[in-house]
């Protein structure tokens, strides 16, 4: 049962991460602006509909999203979604239905790309430089800008992006000078 709950939470987190702030209920209720800035603090919200639009999980993901955008991890939405799906796949196994739902949601939000189309250059064995600092979940830099990453493993193509794991961090070709 806990695996099902984990999968549902992972799906909700992924969906919230790729949904623009101005497409959320919290934005509609005037709780946040289109950049995710809080306009109405949680403790000030009394209406149950508004409280459901701004739960602890939603606030956590909004803050995470703003942090990722600030530190430069996020990159193109598709690349971020691909890396998140790679993490989900590692934790819960392959689930094409989840990938299709995330893709469908991205398309509804106006992001156009094909699942079977590859974005960026195919990754071949070699040494690459990283375009920007890569941070872990604690906000610490784990891979520095211009640091060399040697790639010789296979990649997973997720939502059109080559995704691979380096030092327990998922990278795509969008993170590297290819």
């Amino acid at each position: 049962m806990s695996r099902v709950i984990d999968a549902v939470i992972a799906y909700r987190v992924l969906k919230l991460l790729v949904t623009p702030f101005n497409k959320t209920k919290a934005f509609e209720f005037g709780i946040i602006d289109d950049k995710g800035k809080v306009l109405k603090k949680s403790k000030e919200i009394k209406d149950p509909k508004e409280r459901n639009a701004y739960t602890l999980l939603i606030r956590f993901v909004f803050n995470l999203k703003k942090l990722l955008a600030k530190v430069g991890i996020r990159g193109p939405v598709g690349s971020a979604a691909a890396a998140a799906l790679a993490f989900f796949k590692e934790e819960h196994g392959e689930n094409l239905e989840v990938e299709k739902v995330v893709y469908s949601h991205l398309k509804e939000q106006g992001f156009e790309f094909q699942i079977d189309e590859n974005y960026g250059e195919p990754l071949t064995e070699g040494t690459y430089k990283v375009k920007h600092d890569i941070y872990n979940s604690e906000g610490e830099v784990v891979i520095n800008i211009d640091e060399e990453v040697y790639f010789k493993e296979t990649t997973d193509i997720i939502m059109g992006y080559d995704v691979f794991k380096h030092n327990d961090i998922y990278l795509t070709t969008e993170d590297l000078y290819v």
Side-chain angles (χ1 to χ4, degrees), residues 39-174:
L39 304 174
K40 197 185 289 187
K41 297 209 183 267
S42 177
K43 61 185 173 189
E44 298 170 0
I45 301 170
K46 304 297 180 209
D47 181 359
K49 286 182 182 179
E50 288 183 12
R51 290 191 70 71
N52 285 338
Y54 200 57
T55 65
L56 180 61
L57 177 67
I58 292 169
R59 289 193 316 265
F60 167 75
V61 175
F62 285 178
N63 287 331
L64 176 63
K65 197 165 148 173
K66 289 187 293 188
L67 174 68
L68 292 175
K70 189 180 287 185
V71 297
I73 292 174
R74 203 139 147 64
V77 172
S79 177
L85 281 170
F87 174 76
F88 181 83
K89 185 175 173 183
E90 180 182 76
E91 295 296 311
H92 302 287
E94 186 152 343
N95 188 331
L96 294 176
E97 193 58 35
V98 169
E99 185 172 338
K100 287 177 185 175
V101 169
V102 170
Y103 170 72
S104 177
H105 178 73
L106 287 171
K107 194 168 184 171
E108 287 171 11
Q109 301 305 316
F111 298 104
E112 291 290 332
F113 54 90
Q114 298 295 321
I115 289 178
D116 57 352
E117 183 177 328
N118 289 334
Y119 293 91
E121 297 295 317
L123 216 49
T124 58
E125 183 174 336
T127 303
Y128 299 91
K129 284 193 176 189
V130 178
K131 289 181 180 178
H132 51 82
D133 289 336
I134 305 292
Y135 295 78
N136 65 12
S137 58
E138 286 81 38
E140 302 163 336
V141 175
V142 291
I143 303 173
N144 293 305
I145 188 171
D146 292 328
E147 185 175 324
E148 291 186 348
V149 173
Y150 182 73
F151 173 77
K152 75 173 191 173
E153 300 172 21
T154 59
T155 60
D156 232 350
I157 297 175
I158 299 178
M159 298 177 74
Y161 292 92
D162 285 333
V163 179
F164 70 99
K165 194 171 184 178
H166 174 76
N167 294 342
D168 294 326
I169 302 294
Y170 286 98
L171 300 172
T172 73
T173 51
E174 297 292 320

Side-chain angles (χ1 to χ4, degrees), residues 1-12 88 92 95 98:
M1 182 67 169
S2 68
R3 288 177 127 329
V4 172
I5 293 170
D6 287 349
V8 169
I9 292 170
Y11 170 75
R12 286 201 60 210
F88 181 83
H92 302 287
N95 188 331
V98 169

